[in-house]
């Protein structure tokens, strides 16, 4: 079977089954695993299917999330996982760091563990700013339009303010993580803020529990290799081929 014919057959099989493993394709097409993996890599690059750990899924099988829970609802989910992630993240802050803290429930939990009073902090989270100030930490609150559901400051004014700063570290929240789509959020305005903060950070960390992996929201704010990931458990080892991942407790 010619290469193009075989690859066309792979796409047909994946679209029919929605998901297929390398071993299944080896058996169906009577060829080597190495050949199938090369085909999957090529088809993934040409966006005819999605490469996943051990196989491939159809493009049409992607579910894109467009809605977002409120802060109060998010705060009730995966509390222990967020606690471990935020504790690890807080320990990364060093003397004289200029730290950007993104709005979000995991980044909010992180503030409980911050004990470096020689660093400076800036945030677009209203509750985050209050919590930082209550701890006696030097804090800058970014101005702009307030988004009710996430209690975050967003909008073009916020973006312009961030452009003036250069952070040593940025700690970001995310709604979804995908190798293909990167880090995503349902909100365009929040994506703009997140993107700008990452661009202006020497090191950017995304704090995300295991439920955020293989999830795609409507707007990408960073590619998968733009940030280090701090998580409690890894959905697929394939993520470590694309960026640095720290699993808390290891």
């Amino acid at each position: 079977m010619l290469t193009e014919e075989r690859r066309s057959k792979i796409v047909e099989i994946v679209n029919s089954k929605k998901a297929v493993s390398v071993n299944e394709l080896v058996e169906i097409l009577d060829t080597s695993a190495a050949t199938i993996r090369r085909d999957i890599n090529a088809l993934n690059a040409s966006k005819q299917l999605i490469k996943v750990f051990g196989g491939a899924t159809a493009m049409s099988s992607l579910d894109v999330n467009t809605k977002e829970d409120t802060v109060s609802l998010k705060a009730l989910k995966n509390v222990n996982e967020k606690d471990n992630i935020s504790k690890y993240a807080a320990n990364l802050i060093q003397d004289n760091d200029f730290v950007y803290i993104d709005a979000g429930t995991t980044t909010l939990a992180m503030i409980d563990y911050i004990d470096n009073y020689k660093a400076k902090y800036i945030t677009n989270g209203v509750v985050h700013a209050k919590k930082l100030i209550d701890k006696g930490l030097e804090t800058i609150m970014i101005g702009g339009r307030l988004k009710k559901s996430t209690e975050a400051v967003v909008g073009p004014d916020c973006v312009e303010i961030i452009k003036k700063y250069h952070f040593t570290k940025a700690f970001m929240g995310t709604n979804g993580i995908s190798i293909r789509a990167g880090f995503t959020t349902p909100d365009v305005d929040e994506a703009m803020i997140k993107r700008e903060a990452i661009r202006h950070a020497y090191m950017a960390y995304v704090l995300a529990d295991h439920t955020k992996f293989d999830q795609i929201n409507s707007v990408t704010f960073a590619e998968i290799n733009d940030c280090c990931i701090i998580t409690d458990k890894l959905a697929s080892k394939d993520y470590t081929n694309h960026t640095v991942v720290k699993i808390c407790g290891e």
Side-chain angles (χ1 to χ4, degrees):
M1 188 180 295
L2 297 174
T3 299
E4 289 306 314
E5 183 184 356
R6 185 180 61 251
R7 290 178 180 176
S8 178
K9 187 66 176 176
I10 289 172
V11 173
E12 181 182 326
I13 294 167
V14 171
N15 287 336
S16 174
K17 296 170 70 70
K18 302 302 180 186
V20 67
S21 69
V22 170
N23 289 339
E24 285 180 282
L25 291 171
V26 166
E27 186 174 343
I28 294 169
L29 299 174
D30 192 25
T31 189
S32 70
T35 297
I36 294 297
R37 290 191 186 96
R38 283 196 297 271
D39 289 340
I40 288 175
N41 285 334
L43 293 167
N44 179 77
S46 61
K47 299 184 178 180
Q48 296 182 66
L49 52 69
I50 300 167
K51 175 187 174 184
V52 296
F53 186 69
T57 61
M59 295 291 294
S60 59
S61 68
L62 281 176
D63 291 322
V64 177
N65 301 321
T66 59
K67 296 182 179 179
E68 186 166 22
D69 293 333
T70 61
V71 171
S72 58
L73 185 57
K74 287 180 182 179
L76 300 174
K77 297 180 177 180
N78 306 305
V79 175
N80 291 333
E81 291 87 345
K82 290 177 180 177
D83 195 59
N84 290 332
I85 292 166
S86 59
K87 187 185 300 184
Y88 178 87
N91 287 331
L92 296 175
I93 299 172
Q94 299 175 318
D95 292 353
N96 303 314
D97 267 342
F98 186 31
V99 180
Y100 181 84
I101 300 179
D102 186 30
T105 53
T106 310
T107 52
L108 182 62
M110 170 186 167
I111 297 172
D112 289 333
Y113 297 101
I114 294 177
D115 58 8
N116 193 313
Y117 288 82
K118 294 182 180 180
K120 296 180 181 179
Y121 303 89
I122 181 168
T123 183
N124 72 320
V126 175
V127 181
H128 297 59
K130 176 71 164 55
K131 203 168 185 179
L132 288 163
I133 291 171
D134 287 346
K135 289 196 72 170
L137 298 164
E138 188 172 344
T139 306
I140 298 170
M141 176 74 200
I142 298 175
R145 178 172 61 84
L146 183 60
K147 182 184 174 186
K148 183 179 179 181
S149 63
T150 58
E151 299 177 2
V153 176
V154 297
D157 291 339
C158 185
V159 173
E160 289 304 313
I161 292 169
I162 290 176
K163 286 180 179 179
K164 299 175 182 178
Y165 293 110
H166 301 279
F167 314 114
T168 55
K169 294 182 176 76
F171 295 95
M172 311 301 298
T174 189
N175 294 77
I177 304 174
S178 161
I179 290 172
R180 171 170 288 276
F183 302 99
T184 57
T185 176
D187 188 88
V188 173
D189 286 336
E190 288 215 24
M192 290 170 58
I193 306 304
K194 292 173 183 289
R195 187 180 300 120
E196 206 62 44
I198 290 167
R199 284 176 180 169
H200 286 258
Y202 178 71
M203 288 293 296
Y205 301 90
V206 169
L207 282 54
D209 66 72
H210 65 276
T211 64
K212 301 293 182 68
F213 287 89
D214 298 330
Q215 299 295 315
I216 298 177
N217 291 264
S218 48
V219 188
T220 294
F221 63 84
E223 299 302 323
I224 192 68
N225 60 351
D226 288 338
C227 307
C228 301
I229 301 172
I230 303 175
T231 188
D232 61 300
K233 185 167 61 177
L234 197 56
S236 167
K237 291 182 179 179
D238 202 28
Y239 280 93
T240 60
N241 296 327
H242 297 272
T243 193
V244 176
V245 180
K246 171 60 185 177
I247 303 174
C248 298
E250 288 194 345

